[in-house]
Amino acid sequence: MSLVHPGVLRGAFGEVSRFRTELYACLTTRGDALFELCDALLCTDGPVRTLVDLALAPEHRRGHGALYGGLNQGRIDVARLRRAVAGLPLPRAADGRLVLAVDVSPWLRPDASTCPDRAFCHTYGRGEGKHQMVPGWPYSVVAALETGRTSWTAVLDAVRLEPGADVAAVTTAQIREVIERLVAAGQWQPGDPKILVVLDAGYDAPRIEGTVIRLVVETLPSRGVNKPVWLWWSGTGATANDVDRCWQSFLRGFDVEHTFRLFKQTLGWTKPRLRSPEAADRWTWLVIAAYAQLRLARPLATDLRRPWEKPAPPNKLTPARVRRGFRNLRVKTGSPAGAPKPSRPGPGRPPGSKNHRPATRHDVGRVLATGEAHSRPTHHKVGTKPRRTG
């Protein structure tokens, strides 16, 4: 039985309905197909494995051809969608402060030689200190953090990093634009606590004077030696409250990893074998829009838990458990997408004919995001024909 106040439920329904209407307005070309694809992403049972599975969902009333056509030829007004996401209710710290986290997550495409604009993405391998550089599309994501133990964040932006991009410069511009949208949406006003931005190592942010914080963990049973963690804060004259706020916000920054895991393992963000990076951007924003609807539906969701799962109090469900009941919520919020028109599939390529227009092969960007040249690994032989996968 839900313990949420009826007024809160009505407000949550209104927020979900308004955002769905605004999302549909942002889909400027092939909007019906893209909107129903987003609904299928929200309502499909279990993790998303392939796009074809989404085409079979009842919420997607069109064929798989319309699904791929929407991703490949559709258009999304990303600027308007960014403003819509920035205007949604956002989590705040105990003092009312907005805390933003920035991190990069790769969409790995190691064998997709027909995909342009791939760069070498840093990935962690098994074992301590192991890492690999794998071709793919890296995305810089900005999210607002909650307080306490949670797997929720509020994703505000995603930018694909092109080969040779300066991560520090791109991230700085991205953060500035996100904050400008938050100010325009009324999320921050003069006199409010300053917005705190949390970044991991590797961004080369300490270019001006600031405060260095040494964080030491007294007991860590899994390791024999406890190494200190060094943090840098752009402010000076730090008080004890400032220091506590910095290291606590830094630890909360790892909540973004939960969001990446949900995107990839449950919502299937990196599952489609899309050839065009522009189609990958459209799919990325559909995933962000779906996640935003899950966050708005938290007070409305019913705990459809598995027999082995522990009960969760209202408004404390994980994103995956909120998604289980979204199909029931969708019926109440409605869909602005129009009904599909009857059509006949095209004849396709004649049986037995060969493809005389093979796709163009693209090399992986030889410049890392840090600006350094990347040398070909020794096990990559020059002249070997790559396996065609997309």
Side-chain angles (χ1 to χ4, degrees):
M1 182 178 64
S2 176
L3 301 178
V4 183
H5 192 274
V8 177
L9 296 179
R10 289 192 297 269
F13 267 116
E15 288 288 349
V16 175
S17 299
R18 284 190 292 270
F19 180 77
R20 287 171 62 82
T21 302
E22 183 65 16
L23 171 62
Y24 183 75
C26 296
L27 309 178
T28 56
T29 303
R30 304 207 177 196
D32 294 334
L34 291 174
F35 190 87
E36 290 192 353
L37 175 58
C38 187
D39 272 0
L41 176 62
L42 284 167
C43 301
T44 299
D45 295 331
V48 176
R49 304 298 183 187
T50 62
L51 289 179
V52 177
D53 293 336
L54 297 180
L56 300 177
E59 290 75 16
H60 192 274
R61 299 174 293 178
R62 292 158 174 81
H64 68 277
L67 183 151
Y68 284 100
L71 289 177
N72 293 326
Q73 285 86 36
R75 292 292 181 272
I76 300 179
D77 189 346
V78 177
R80 182 173 180 176
L81 185 53
R82 282 186 169 120
R83 293 192 297 268
V85 172
L88 298 178
L90 297 179
R92 297 176 182 269
D95 59 352
R97 185 188 310 269
L98 284 171
V99 181
L100 308 181
V102 187
D103 203 353
V104 176
S105 184
W107 182 338
L108 301 181
R109 299 302 306 274
D111 300 324
S113 59
T114 60
C115 295
D117 294 341
R118 289 183 302 159
F120 284 101
C121 305
H122 181 271
T123 59
Y124 290 94
R126 294 186 177 182
E128 185 178 359
K130 300 293 184 180
H131 64 88
Q132 298 175 342
M133 303 301 295
V134 181
W137 293 316
Y139 280 83
S140 176
V141 178
V142 180
L145 302 178
E146 295 193 359
T147 57
R149 299 179 59 183
T150 179
S151 58
W152 288 93
T153 62
V155 179
L156 298 173
D157 192 39
V159 173
R160 177 169 46 85
L161 301 176
E162 298 182 355
D166 186 344
V167 175
V170 173
T171 303
T172 301
Q174 182 184 19
I175 295 175
R176 183 182 297 111
E177 294 173 359
V178 169
I179 293 179
E180 290 176 353
R181 291 193 294 269
L182 293 176
V183 173
Q187 301 283 9
W188 186 90
Q189 299 178 358
D192 293 344
K194 293 183 179 180
I195 299 176
L196 184 62
V197 183
V198 180
L199 300 94
D200 206 345
Y203 283 96
D204 194 21
R207 297 179 178 178
I208 58 177
E209 63 178 2
T211 302
V212 178
I213 302 173
R214 184 174 183 264
L215 182 61
V216 179
V217 179
E218 294 182 358
T219 58
L220 197 61
S222 60
R223 298 182 181 179
V225 180
N226 298 332
K227 296 182 179 180
V229 177
W230 294 93
L231 307 179
W232 180 85
W233 180 47
S234 60
T236 57
T239 63
N241 292 333
D242 294 331
V243 173
D244 290 339
R245 183 186 304 114
C246 287
W247 71 261
Q248 292 172 2
S249 300
F250 172 75
L251 295 181
R252 289 266 63 85
F254 290 99
D255 292 342
V256 180
E257 299 297 332
H258 295 289
T259 302
F260 291 156
R261 188 179 299 109
L262 176 82
F263 277 19
K264 295 181 179 181
Q265 297 182 2
T266 302
L267 301 182
W269 171 38
T270 58
K271 294 296 183 182
R273 296 184 176 182
L274 302 175
R275 178 178 299 175
S276 167
E278 291 77 17
D281 293 343
R282 297 184 194 103
W283 172 246
T284 299
W285 276 104
L286 287 182
V287 173
I288 294 176
Y291 180 70
Q293 296 181 61
L294 291 179
R295 189 168 59 86
L296 294 175
R298 290 172 66 182
L300 308 172
T302 304
D303 188 10
L304 303 178
R305 64 185 181 90
R306 302 292 189 258
W308 56 85
E309 294 176 339
K310 296 181 179 180
N315 206 24
K316 294 296 183 180
L317 299 178
T318 62
R321 290 169 74 164
V322 172
R323 178 172 174 260
R324 293 176 189 170
F326 193 88
R327 176 170 286 169
N328 300 329
L329 300 176
R330 176 186 176 274
V331 177
K332 300 178 182 180
T333 57
S335 174
K341 298 180 180 179
S343 60
R344 299 176 59 183
R349 186 188 305 170
S353 62
K354 296 183 179 180
N355 182 15
H356 298 286
R357 303 173 65 179
T360 305
R361 263 57 177 174
H362 301 272
D363 292 332
V364 184
R366 289 293 180 261
V367 180
L368 301 179
T370 57
E372 303 174 356
H374 182 270
S375 59
R376 180 185 294 270
T378 56
H379 62 276
H380 287 185
K381 297 181 180 179
V382 179
T384 302
K385 185 178 181 180
R387 180 165 58 92
R388 181 175 182 179
T389 60

